Amino acid sequence: MSSKDVSTLNIGPRVWRNGELIPWNEARVHVMTHAIHYGSSVFEGIRAYKNEKGTAIFRLEEHMKRLINSAKIYRMPIKYSKEELCKAAIETVRDSGLEACYLRPVVFRGLDETKPTFGVNPFPNPVDTYIAVWDWGRYLGEEALQAGVDVCVSSWTRLPSNSMPAAAKAGANYMNSQLIKMEAILNGYHEGIALDDRGSVCEGSGENLFAIFDGTLTTPATSSSILSGITRDAVMQIAGDLGIPVKESSIQRAMLYTADEVFFTGTAAEITPIRSIDKITIGEGARGPLTKKIQDAFFEIIGGKRKAPRDQNWLTYVN
């Protein structure tokens, strides 16, 4: 693919790799890279939004902190500090020329081609860090933010955290997510919901989940093998500031069917209402009033029209 071809795809023409920006077409790895064979990668998903003040990256520091922590759990030494990674992200977005985009920082075990080593043992392999950006629309569809989505409870469960650490946003974990997502799509749903190994509600294939019962916002606790999402945390803080009670608690599958409202959260999904689960209508079968209230506050914050809860600065401008 030529540089001209890349420019027509709304993809950042250069990728940040180990401290330098390189052409998109040169961001390649060897087929024997450790991460390809053994899933030894951690990553982040981050959004940059366009508002009237410019291009703003949402909760950049929190994402980079989680990236570093994910790598730490898997004993993958990153050469760069949180501040350096944030600076690299800003540089990559600015270089892309995109006013709004999705950022993908990824850290993985590579291959030293001058002294290749093979096998499960990851330690002899170098650790590489990349950041790519591209234009990515609504993950579950443009209409989903208002109309909601139809989902199912998956037959695949989340792995317990003492088998695969849910606290790490690791590439290997997303093989489980792919099974959940594919099953849902093949059965005619937009998305699937996974249960944990004890049968309690966990999360979507790539989203956290909230349910509303009698005005209280309830979400599975980290003990349910969830990834502790950045958007999940934002929603909990926003709800608190709006006077909506928030509770982290175990949720049984049957409770979802009787919830007043249910919605997904995530960097890609943002705040997406769920209108049905297993073909059972949730509430009125459309976005509920509290979901809309939280959505409105969220989009006002990323639009630069409202302060984040507790006066935190959630927007990093690249201009």
Side-chain angles (χ1 to χ4, degrees), residues 2 6 82 87 90 119 150 164 211 219 234 246 257 264 310 313:
S2 69
V6 169
K82 181 182 72 175
K87 182 179 178 182
I90 294 168
D150 301 308
M164 296 286 285
T219 187
V246 180
Y257 305 141
F264 283 132
R310 300 170 180 80
N313 182 13

Side-chain angles (χ1 to χ4, degrees), residues 56-265:
I57 305 175
F58 183 65
R59 303 196 74 178
L60 176 60
E61 290 192 12
E62 291 90 336
H63 280 286
M64 289 308 187
K65 180 180 179 180
R66 188 172 65 179
L67 179 70
I68 291 169
N69 286 340
S70 294
K72 184 176 183 179
I73 290 169
Y74 277 99
R75 304 177 190 273
M76 297 168 64
I78 299 180
K79 302 174 185 177
Y80 310 100
S81 67
K82 181 182 72 175
E83 291 71 25
E84 288 172 322
L85 290 171
C86 289
K87 182 179 178 182
I90 294 168
E91 180 184 9
T92 308
V93 173
R94 185 182 293 134
D95 178 78
S96 75
L98 297 172
E99 293 181 313
C101 59
Y102 184 89
L103 294 77
R104 172 52 51 83
V106 58
V107 179
F108 60 90
R109 297 277 184 179
L111 176 75
D112 183 349
E113 295 185 37
T114 65
K115 191 179 179 182
T117 58
F118 311 107
V120 174
N121 177 16
F123 291 126
N125 298 281
V127 174
D128 293 316
T129 305
Y130 286 69
I131 303 174
V133 304
W134 66 91
D135 179 21
W136 199 10
R138 308 293 187 199
Y139 180 62
L140 294 172
E142 289 293 334
E143 71 287 348
L145 293 180
Q146 293 187 29
V149 292
D150 301 308
V151 308
C152 64
V153 174
S154 180
S155 66
W156 296 99
T157 62
R158 279 290 190 222
L159 292 166
S161 291
N162 61 342
S163 293
M164 296 286 285
K169 191 174 177 68
N173 292 5
Y174 282 76
M175 290 299 288
N176 180 245
S177 294
Q178 289 176 56
L179 291 171
I180 295 164
K181 185 73 172 182
M182 289 187 293
E183 179 183 54
I185 290 172
L186 291 173
N187 286 317
Y189 298 95
H190 296 96
E191 184 57 283
I193 295 172
L195 305 180
D196 65 20
D197 61 315
R198 295 163 295 179
S200 295
V201 174
C202 181
E203 58 190 356
S205 70
E207 310 91 2
N208 291 122
L209 181 141
F210 287 85
I212 297 172
F213 302 97
D214 297 325
T216 296
L217 192 61
T218 304
T219 187
T222 54
S223 57
S224 289
S225 293
I226 69 165
L227 175 71
S228 187
I230 307 296
T231 308
R232 172 182 180 270
D233 174 73
V235 164
M236 293 171 72
Q237 292 196 47
I238 290 169
D241 276 27
L242 293 174
I244 301 170
V246 180
K247 180 171 67 172
E248 293 182 85
S249 173
S250 174
I251 302 174
Q252 297 304 306
R253 174 180 180 170
M255 291 174 63
L256 290 179
Y257 305 141
T258 64
D260 300 314
E261 304 175 42
V262 183
F263 60 86
F264 283 132
T265 64

